[in-house]
Amino acid sequence: TILVIGASGQIGTVLVQHLQNQYGLNRVIASDLRMPQAFSGIFESLDATKADELAALVRRYRVTQIYHLAAILSANGEANPIRTWEINMQTALNVLEVARTQNVSKVFIPSSIAVFGPSAPAFDTPQQTQLDPTTVYGISKVAAENWMHYYHVKYGLDVRSLRYPGVISYQSQPGGGTTDYAVAIYHQAVQGQDFTCFLSENTRLPMIYMDDAIRATLELMEAESSRIRVRTAYNLAGLSFTPAEITAAIQKFFPNFRTQYAPDFRQQIADSWPKTIDDQAARNDWEWAPAFDLSRMTEEMIHHLSEYYQPSLTQA
Ligand code: VAH
């Protein structure tokens, strides 16, 4: 069975659905502090900071794979740095240690572009470069990458990871990141409202559409172990855009839509991150290739959100 920790989160809710479709409802154990809305399948409430609770769950369901998608993200994480560090580190270490002691065959713990800081090249940020993160979330992801590498080298644990860019989805809301504006902007546009963006209009950030993020995760996890040459975390690129560019893409569907700009503390976080990512290593090692560009993603987002907000119109 496959255990998903953080099943109620932005990525977790979508990943659970894909894993259920692929492996069957009874092969996927969704876990989180609280159940996702309108959930169907096997759900177990779990506080992953408690190693014994996690170990008991792994034993009870004879878990063979763990996806750890629970963390306090970059923006929310700055409100309480020590708590963010403790939660992000304790849960990651619990997953690695329980996986090792209970012979879990594969583990996925995501990393993030938040591991990069001002010292990394801003464009085509390479797989190998200095990591000087400016957020506690980023610090915790650099540490998690090093722990994953350690457990692989020292214990042979098959743990794999991706440095997710900002993830854009219609099925779920992000939870306290710096890239969240790129999801909220679509919700506002489809509801006929203007949008106030918490980043300045030319802030370019690496992003990825949820379908690509999920496919990358599953393709990475299904690749032959011998092909996985990066045991910290692979760079992953989907697309890259600025608030001005995503606004223009939306205006093709909603000509009267407008974005105002009111940068807040998240501007400094965004300014320390890459603008575009070099994911050649993922392309070489396990044939990664994104499928969504800004116009295709915008079309999909507006189509699905229109169905959600204006069912009558789309059925007409
Ligand atoms: C965040 N969406 O903003 C997350 C991600 C790209 C960064 O880890 O914190």
Side-chain angles (χ1 to χ4, degrees), residues 10-11 72-76 111-114 135 137 141 163-167 174-180 205-207 269 273:
Q10 179 193 13
I11 297 172
I72 310 287
L73 295 184
S74 60
N76 282 1
S111 183
S112 163
I113 58 166
T135 62
Y137 169 73
K141 287 301 183 183
R163 287 165 177 167
Y164 286 142
V167 177
T178 301
T179 57
D180 297 6
L205 284 172
M207 302 280 190
I269 297 175
W273 286 355

Side-chain angles (χ1 to χ4, degrees), residues 31-254:
S31 74
D32 207 315
L33 295 171
R34 283 174 302 283
M35 187 185 287
Q37 295 121 1
F39 177 77
S40 59
I42 303 174
F43 179 85
E44 292 279 352
S45 73
L46 170 70
D47 173 351
T49 63
K50 307 238 178 349
D52 51 350
E53 270 187 42
L54 174 59
L57 206 53
V58 167
R59 261 198 308 278
R60 178 163 7 126
Y61 285 100
R62 289 199 296 280
V63 169
T64 53
Q65 289 187 39
I66 300 177
Y67 288 79
H68 175 39
L69 277 304
I72 310 287
L73 295 184
S74 60
N76 282 1
E78 291 306 293
N80 193 328
I82 303 303
R83 179 174 170 274
T84 302
W85 167 257
E86 286 171 348
I87 288 175
N88 289 4
M89 272 337 299
Q90 198 54 61
T91 55
L93 276 175
N94 286 346
V95 168
L96 291 170
E97 190 55 10
V98 168
R100 176 182 76 83
T101 55
Q102 309 223 13
N103 300 316
V104 170
S105 58
K106 270 188 220 176
V107 176
F108 178 80
I109 301 178
S111 183
S112 163
I113 58 166
V115 299
F116 298 111
S119 306
F123 288 93
D124 296 326
T125 307
Q127 178 68 50
Q128 298 284 352
T129 187
Q130 188 189 344
L131 303 179
D132 52 350
T134 62
T135 62
V136 176
Y137 169 73
I139 293 168
S140 72
K141 287 301 183 183
V142 171
E145 287 192 7
N146 287 317
W147 274 111
M148 286 188 268
H149 182 258
Y150 179 88
Y151 268 75
H152 178 73
V153 170
K154 181 155 184 170
Y155 304 117
L157 184 66
D158 188 354
V159 49
R160 307 182 186 191
S161 185
L162 296 170
R163 287 165 177 167
Y164 286 142
V167 177
I168 316 292
S169 58
Y170 63 87
Q171 309 93 322
S172 54
Q173 291 282 2
T178 301
T179 57
D180 297 6
Y181 89 87
V183 174
I185 193 167
Y186 287 112
H187 284 264
Q188 294 292 101
V190 167
Q191 294 177 85
Q193 291 152 20
D194 283 349
F195 180 62
T196 301
C197 185
F198 57 69
L199 298 180
S200 60
E201 65 180 309
N202 296 319
T203 307
R204 179 172 300 284
L205 284 172
M207 302 280 190
I208 191 165
Y209 186 50
M210 178 65 83
D211 283 23
D212 272 345
I214 297 293
R215 182 170 55 83
T217 305
L218 298 181
E219 286 177 5
L220 170 69
M221 289 297 272
E222 285 154 11
E224 266 304 306
S225 181
S226 58
R227 304 193 59 179
I228 309 302
R229 304 226 301 262
V230 173
R231 290 289 181 169
T232 46
Y234 277 97
N235 279 7
L236 182 72
L239 67 166
S240 170
F241 55 79
T242 65
E245 288 168 349
I246 191 173
T247 297
I250 289 170
Q251 284 167 340
K252 293 201 178 71
F253 295 81
F254 301 100

